[in-house]
Amino acid sequence: MSFLERIPRRIIFLTLIIVVVVPILSPFPLPVPITKNTRNYYNIIEALEPGSVVFYGTSVETRDIEAYPQHVATLKHLKEKKAIVITYCFGAGTALGQEWVYEDAGYDELEYGTDYVHLGFVPGGDATLTAFCNDMVATKQVDHYGNPTATMPIFQKVKTIHDVDLVIASGGGTPGPDTYARIVVIPYDKVSIVQVPGAMAAMVYDFINLKVFRGGVIAQRGAVEYEAITGHAGRATTTFAPIFISSIVLILLMIFGNIAYVSNRMKEGQ
Amino acid sequence: MVGDDEMSIVLRRHIPVIIVTIIGIFLFFTYPIDNPVVIGTAGILGNWAMILASFALGIGAINMIVIHGRRVSEMRKGLWEPSLALLITMAAVLLLGLATSVKSDEYTLVYDTLVGAGRLTLVSLRGFFMFSAFYRAYRARALDGTVMLIVSILLMMYNVPIAELFFPQLNVFTQWLLDVLFVGGERGLRIIGGIGMIIITFRILTTADRSWMGREE
């Protein structure tokens, strides 16, 4: 029993390597039931008319297994619905990461400035976002690539946040989904959905319950569900098996470690 | 005659306080007042904030150069090598961005290979330590620790989703935890944070709190 209580770290690390590598080398599909939040998220995008304007606060910095597949699957779905997308970033890294997302979702095949625009990094957090809602072009005069926004066809139609049909908030901190909720969604009564990594899930459950966000893709599980529902199996689906197996192993380790702990304390008590 | 010291105090302390108080009170009233002039002025102030934030980025970069430059020039043991690497990388990426553009293949390649891969590596390494720490640290030593242990296991089973596949009834309980207890706790925290923010704002606007200006000299 004492071994189970104190398994050496090298054995734990070796176990983790095995349970991660094996499912990557021989992947297997997992049946993941669709949750209410993901279903609502899908339904909101599915209901968009062609030409609807979507304001998308993006947060991809790396090709990870949570934010990145959430964004790619969302943009693929938006592309199918022929939505016009405006992306806005609170960080310089996320502005660069969004370039991959556009490419990997196939948005770069569409006409830039007409079908989508990447505004890139916008410094100033709350204050700038507030100004942006009132006058987009005056607040962000050039896009991520240095092109003037005033002459873009998108901004002939979209002047303020009132011209936006859907707000998609994402991110894993502040500024992030709560910033979009406070400054964009609640004051302007916009229809909005959210996507967050698992570590930040607790932050958005309240907003979802209050219907500030009408749906949510939460954690890698949410991304897997959304990829399944849209039929675009991607990075979240292909990397889910290692997470599944390693979680089972971790839960077993925690349970047996605690059984051993309690058993040993009881023996010491006797 | 006003002395140099008194003038300096006026410039460094009183004028910033006056500016912050006036703008803070004005911006507070832009929320309830629906007037185009007020909203327009608030928009201009928002644009100024963006310009100031851009300056803050520049100041941050200069600050970093000064701190790491000092480490390199003083050859501080164990610190100067990474600082030198940082300065060289910073200069190289800056020059590359200026010479090409942030859209260029070269710049994107640097970002993909340095930042993207580096960040993923760090996150992956952290995963190993968290895996080990979860097993070692989560012990049912007391009632609160036991509750935390059980909730952690339930949430892991919900997220993966082991519970839905093997123990559907357990998942109903976890969903209740998320919808009721988590939301209640989160809402409580949010309200406390909001009240705290109102108090801090009030203290700043009434000049009771001047800690945002840094140390008083």
Side-chain angles (χ1 to χ4, degrees), chain A residues 4 100 139 206 221 240 258, chain B residues 112 135 140 158 160 164 187:
Chain A
L4 274 177
W100 302 333
T139 309
D206 192 17
R221 184 205 164 143
F240 199 50
N258 273 285
Chain B
D112 285 7
Y135 158 70
Y158 173 85
V160 184
E164 261 165 299
R187 198 171 291 180

Side-chain angles (χ1 to χ4, degrees), chain A residues 68-88:
Chain A
Y68 170 76
Q70 289 171 354
H71 281 67
V72 171
T74 300
L75 274 183
K76 283 181 176 173
H77 194 186
L78 289 171
K79 190 182 170 197
E80 283 174 2
K81 302 306 296 180
K82 295 184 169 49
I84 294 168
V85 176
I86 300 168
T87 47
Y88 185 104

